[in-house]
Structures are given as C-alpha cells and as structure tokens.
C-alpha cells in the first residue's frame, strides 16, 4: 500500500491526507469569543428590536432564534460553501473557525460532497428564509407559520442526515468522546438544530392546522391579504 | 497498490468492489413491468376510491400521487433501508429491482452512508406521512395542506441532496449518458420527486398563507377542531 506524503495535522481519522494544511494562528479563546460574541450581539440587538414591536416574550425568542440562524447560515456556513476547497490552508477568522470546528468533524476540511451540498443548501435556502421568517414574525404576517415550518423542516432534515451519516460512518471524523471537539462541537451545537426546529415545527404545524395563522398586523386583522 | 479479488459485475465505477455479487435472473422487462404495473394498480385503485368521495380531478391527482409515494417509500425504499447490506447478493424481486436501479447509481449496492440514511428517513418518515396526506385530502381535513407541505419538503430536500451529491462526485456511480440507466433511472425518475414536490409545496404554502385551509369535511365546515 502506498502512503501519500503526509502533512502533519491534528485531525481524525489520523491517516487523513490534508495537503496544504496550515495550523491556526488565532488562539482558541479568541475564535470562540468572536463567534459567540457576535451571536450574542445579534441576539441582544434583535431582542431590543423585537421589544420595540411590542412582541410577547415567546415571539421575541422565536425572532431572535431566526435572526441568529440567518446570521450563522449566511455568514459562517455561506463562507464554508464558497471556500470549502481552500479552508485547510486559509488564515482568515472564518477559515480558522472552520478549522477549529474540523476537530469535531474533519469532513469540513476535505470538501466531503454531502457536507458541501448540505451546507450550500443551508446557506442559500435556509439562511435567507430564516431572515424572512424573523421579519414575518416581527410584522405578524400570515407568512410567519408557513415560513417557520419550511425553515425548521429544512434545518431538521439537513442536521438529522448530517448526524446520522456520521453515526453510520462510526464517528471516524473526530476524536470520539472528546469533551470539546465531540461533545460540544459535534453533539451539543448540532443538537440545537434538531431540538429547536422540532419544537418550532410542532408549534407551526399546530397553528396552521388550528387556523390560528391569521394576519395580526396592526389594522389588518382578519383582512384576507 | 494491491487490488482486491474482484467479482465481475456491470456497475460503475468499473473498479468498484462488490463481493458476493449475484447477477439478476428475472428479465428486465419483467422487473420494470412488475414495478410500473403495481404502481399503475395503486394509481387506478386510488383514482376510483377518490372518485367515490366526489373529489374534483385536481384533488384526485394529488391523492393518487401521495398514495403512490407512500407505496414506493414504504415498500421499495423500506426494503432497501432494511436490506441494503445484502442486496448485491439478493434474489428476491425487490432485491433485483434495486440491482437493476444500481446500474444508474451503484451507491445503492455499497450501503453508501448518505443513501442509506436518506432512504431510511424516506421510508420511515415520508412514507407514512404520504399516506396520511392522502387520507387528509380524501377526508378534507385541516391537516391536508400542512401535511402536504411537510411531506413534499422532505421529498424535495432528500432528492435535491441526492442528485447534487452525485453531480458533485462527477456522476461516477453509473454510466454517464446511458439512455436507460442514466437518463431514465437516475435523471427522469428522480426529477419526478423534485418537480412534483416543488409544485405541491407552492400550492400548500399559498393555501396556508391565504387561509384557505379550512376543514371541508361534510358537516364540519368552519368547525375549529
């Protein structure tokens, strides 16, 4: 068996070939701080904005969720979809974030066809629709529950497949059981996009079946269009 | 490079290893005749049944579609989900159907993790929900458009990913351009589950946004539950 000339790297499986790999220069704390800091700013900003629309707390939480999703899908996952081929040697903040996440799932560093297609759909479809769902909730439009159902179902389907395939492949693309890489990055962060969409699908489905999808915009209550 | 002891087979890529491969014994015309014959019986039976419920033609077509989907998802794809590991050496009608389809996409004969996970979701989720959507349309329940939206979106997402991944992998799992294997099996049959779900998603989404999702069961019009 001939072995390719290996570039040393910290990813799994250990014999993975990652030519052109360039180690991260930004410290872990800075990468995670930047990501969660930006998400926090997005959440706080949206929370305040939704408050100005006099939205009840439950609606404000849903709006914050969709804006955060739109931000993550379009920016982080959009960057991946556009740059997956050069990520492993990249030095930008976003490339380094993906190289950090790659500890939990190296498929992100090898342009795995499923991951690339799923992330492209997430960035191009789920991202803009997340913002649309947030706006629909903010304005109380009749589109809010249909959009919530569509976005959440896409997220649930994509993420379920993502986790199932890695399970089927025996969790070989990360260090199984590693507290940060496996449990936090791969399990915890991804479970978010299973549990929350599932709850939002149930909520939207019920509202649509029970016919409580009326237009609640000021001055247009019960108006058909 | 050491080559595994190859079992001769007609699939692509030509160097694919398929240990235990057993050629089909049922003639092609019989396999296709059986599949399309059964689908035709399901369609005709459903058409007659829907007629007894005095459904307009458009509704009857949708009901026929969902019953045919339920049948294909649960029986054909359910069989694949349960038996994918032994398909390549199988001799049942369903195994031979999959070996025939495998000419267009050999991922079905190698337990490709994406295909197995996607088909399992299709069999376990899309299949029963297709029957539920058909019943909801037949009875005019308020569940009909929400269910139509959910099922069609799952079908569209799964099939889009399926075709995109094979495109991304360079159509290596079948003979590219082959009239029957590529164009009919891989392109034409799969395009069905892109085009029809897309149309049904638009129809259901519009009905839900416009609030024309009322209960149309006899004697329960405008009833909330």
């Amino acid at each position: 068996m001939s072995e390719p000339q290996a570039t040393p790297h910290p990813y799994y499986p250990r014999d993975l070939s990652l030519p052109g790999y360039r180690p991260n220069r930004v410290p872990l704390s800075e990468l995670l701080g930047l990501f969660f800091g930006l998400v926090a700013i997005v959440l706080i900003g949206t929370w305040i904005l939704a408050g100005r629309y006099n939205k009840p707390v439950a609606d404000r939480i849903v709006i914050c969720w969709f804006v955060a999703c739109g931000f993550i899908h379009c920016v982080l996952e959009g960057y991946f979809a556009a740059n997956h081929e050069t990520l492993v040697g990249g030095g930008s903040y976003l490339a380094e974030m993906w190289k950090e996440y790659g500890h939990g799932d190296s498929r992100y560093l090898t342009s795995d066809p499923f991951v690339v297609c799923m992330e492209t759909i997430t960035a191009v479809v789920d991202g803009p629709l997340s913002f649309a769902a947030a706006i629909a909730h903010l304005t109380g439009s009749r589109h809010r529950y249909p959009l919530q159902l569509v976005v959440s179902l896409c997220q649930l389907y994509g993420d379920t497949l993502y986790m199932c395939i890695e399970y089927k492949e025996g969790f070989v693309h990360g260090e199984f059981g590693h507290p940060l890489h496996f449990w936090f990055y791969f399990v915890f962060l991804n479970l978010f996009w299973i549990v929350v969409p599932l709850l939002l699908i149930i909520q939207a489905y019920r509202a649509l079946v029970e016919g409580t999808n009326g237009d609640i915009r000021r001055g247009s209550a019960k108006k058909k269009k």
Side-chain angles (χ1 to χ4, degrees), chain A:
Chain A
M1 299 270 257
S2 69
E3 291 272 337
Q5 186 65 35
T7 313
H9 65 71
Y11 299 101
Y12 285 77
R14 295 301 298 126
D15 60 354
L16 186 70
S17 169
L18 287 177
Y21 166 66
R22 176 189 163 291
N24 274 359
R25 288 180 199 164
V26 181
L28 175 63
S29 56
E30 198 178 325
L31 280 179
L32 294 185
L34 186 69
F35 174 72
F36 289 106
L38 283 174
V39 171
I41 290 170
V42 168
L43 287 174
I44 292 166
T46 309
W47 182 265
I48 293 167
L49 180 72
R52 295 211 176 164
Y53 276 72
N54 296 318
K55 290 281 152 193
V57 169
D59 285 7
R60 283 165 87 170
I61 293 171
V62 173
I63 293 164
C64 283
W65 164 257
F66 280 124
V67 172
C69 284
F71 171 72
I72 294 170
H73 293 339
C74 288
V75 178
L76 190 66
E77 292 171 281
Y79 181 88
F80 173 80
N83 299 285
H84 61 90
E85 286 176 354
T86 55
L87 270 187
V88 83
S92 68
Y93 272 106
L94 285 168
E96 299 223 341
M97 278 180 197
W98 280 116
K99 280 192 281 177
E100 180 53 31
Y101 181 78
H103 286 105
D105 186 352
S106 67
R107 292 180 291 176
Y108 278 83
L109 305 180
T110 55
S111 295
D112 175 89
F114 162 72
V115 167
V116 170
C117 292
M118 182 271 290
E119 286 293 1
T120 305
I121 292 174
T122 304
V124 174
V125 179
D126 303 12
L129 287 184
S130 294
F131 285 123
I135 294 167
H137 271 285
L138 207 58
T139 59
S141 132
R142 278 178 174 275
H143 288 269
R144 68 197 188 287
Y145 288 122
L147 273 176
Q148 177 173 321
L149 186 59
V150 169
V151 177
S152 303
L153 201 58
C154 286
Q155 293 172 323
L156 178 66
Y157 197 110
D159 201 16
T160 303
L161 259 185
Y162 171 74
M163 296 191 84
C164 285
I165 292 172
E166 183 60 4
Y167 161 75
K168 199 88 193 154
E169 295 191 333
F171 299 115
V172 295
H173 299 100
E175 187 185 345
F176 185 77
H178 189 288
L180 181 65
H181 301 158
F182 179 76
W183 287 110
F184 185 69
Y185 295 165
F186 182 74
V187 178
F188 180 75
L189 290 184
N190 283 298
L191 269 186
F192 251 83
W193 275 272
I194 298 220
V195 175
V196 181
L198 208 51
L199 295 174
L200 292 178
I201 286 168
I202 293 169
Q203 186 198 35
Y205 188 91
R206 278 191 184 157
L208 292 169
V209 169
E210 288 167 8
T212 53
N213 186 38
D215 198 323
I216 55 169
R217 280 179 285 196
R218 269 170 248 165
S220 63
K222 292 187 181 173
K223 221 172 81 180
K224 187 75 180 289
K225 206 160 180 182

